[in-house]
Amino acid sequence: MALDDTTEELARAAATGDHRALGELLKQIEPHVMRHCMRILPYQQDAEEACQDTLFAVARHISRFEGRARFSTWLHIVTANCARTTYRTLKRRAAEQADEELPTQRPDPRRVSVIAGSRLDLLDAMEALESDKPDLLQALVLRDICQLEYAEVAEQLNIPLGTAKSRIHQARKFVQAALGSDYGISR
């Protein structure tokens, strides 16, 4: 998410309690957040829900933004977390709906679209990683989703560079193993 210096300044001002800056910040980041959510979730309505959740989370937790790293990095993490939370909520609702034997309103994207199915499989793998090894997931999200350099990942997590590289490697192996049977990936 490439945001300009004006956005970074608005974020710092909003973090100190400037409500005008927060309003302007939310307006500026909404299109960026929506694009990011669309890359993660296969349906526009789901991405819109995740986008709104992200904007709400930013408004609610902007005071936690310390400015040690760029706001865009912090926003990437919040967006990815909200998108994954939206996915888990939708998955739970779908399971409840199936239990009630109500017809689903959406087809299973794994059967309709290779791209959408792949995204959902990746979200499932990330969910499994989060429940098993959350510290690995954090490193993976920062490197492969936020596209930070290894040194930036280490700085964000306040860990040595070697530890960051190791966590990313282990996370990738975990995800690869989780996806392996469906995608012909050898373990």
Side-chain angles (χ1 to χ4, degrees):
M1 235 180 261
L3 300 174
D4 62 16
D5 291 337
T6 305
T7 306
E8 297 288 334
E9 290 172 20
L10 283 171
R12 284 191 289 280
T16 64
D18 183 337
H19 295 290
R20 183 206 59 76
L22 177 60
E24 185 62 31
L25 175 68
L26 294 173
K27 193 179 345 174
Q28 280 191 16
I29 65 172
E30 184 175 11
H32 299 284
V33 170
M34 185 61 192
R35 277 193 300 277
H36 189 65
C37 290
M38 286 292 297
R39 281 186 291 222
I40 297 172
L41 297 165
Y43 291 107
Q44 182 166 346
Q45 293 167 321
D46 300 342
E48 288 170 355
E49 183 176 332
C51 178
Q52 291 304 309
D53 291 346
T54 300
L55 295 174
F56 181 69
V58 168
R60 207 171 69 211
H61 301 295
I62 191 68
S63 63
R64 294 182 187 168
F65 174 64
E66 299 171 355
R68 288 185 294 142
R70 294 188 57 82
F71 173 72
S72 57
T73 302
W74 185 82
L75 180 60
H76 243 323
I77 294 167
V78 172
T79 303
N81 287 340
C82 286
R84 285 193 342 265
T85 300
T86 298
Y87 172 69
R88 280 193 299 268
T89 301
L90 294 168
K91 188 174 164 184
R92 187 187 74 247
R93 282 186 211 153
E96 290 169 358
Q97 199 174 38
D99 288 344
E100 295 171 7
E101 296 183 352
L102 293 174
T104 58
Q105 294 177 326
R106 296 182 180 148
D108 182 357
R110 287 178 182 88
R111 294 189 181 126
V112 177
S113 166
V114 172
I115 294 170
S118 298
R119 285 189 217 164
L120 295 178
D121 291 338
L122 181 58
L123 285 168
D124 285 340
M126 290 174 69
E127 186 177 342
L129 180 60
E130 181 177 36
S131 65
D132 196 32
K133 300 176 182 181
D135 56 329
L136 298 184
L137 178 65
Q138 233 179 353
L140 181 73
V141 166
L142 288 171
R143 176 66 184 135
D144 291 348
I145 294 178
C146 298
Q147 299 177 338
L148 296 183
E149 297 297 323
Y150 288 101
E152 293 174 302
V153 172
E155 183 181 328
Q156 281 293 310
L157 297 177
N158 199 25
I159 57 176
L161 178 60
T163 303
K165 288 180 177 182
S166 175
R167 286 183 184 178
I168 293 163
H169 176 73
Q170 291 173 20
R172 287 175 177 162
K173 281 178 62 174
F174 184 97
V175 169
Q176 183 179 22
L179 296 175
S181 62
D182 292 335
Y183 295 95
I185 299 171
S186 59
R187 290 179 211 174

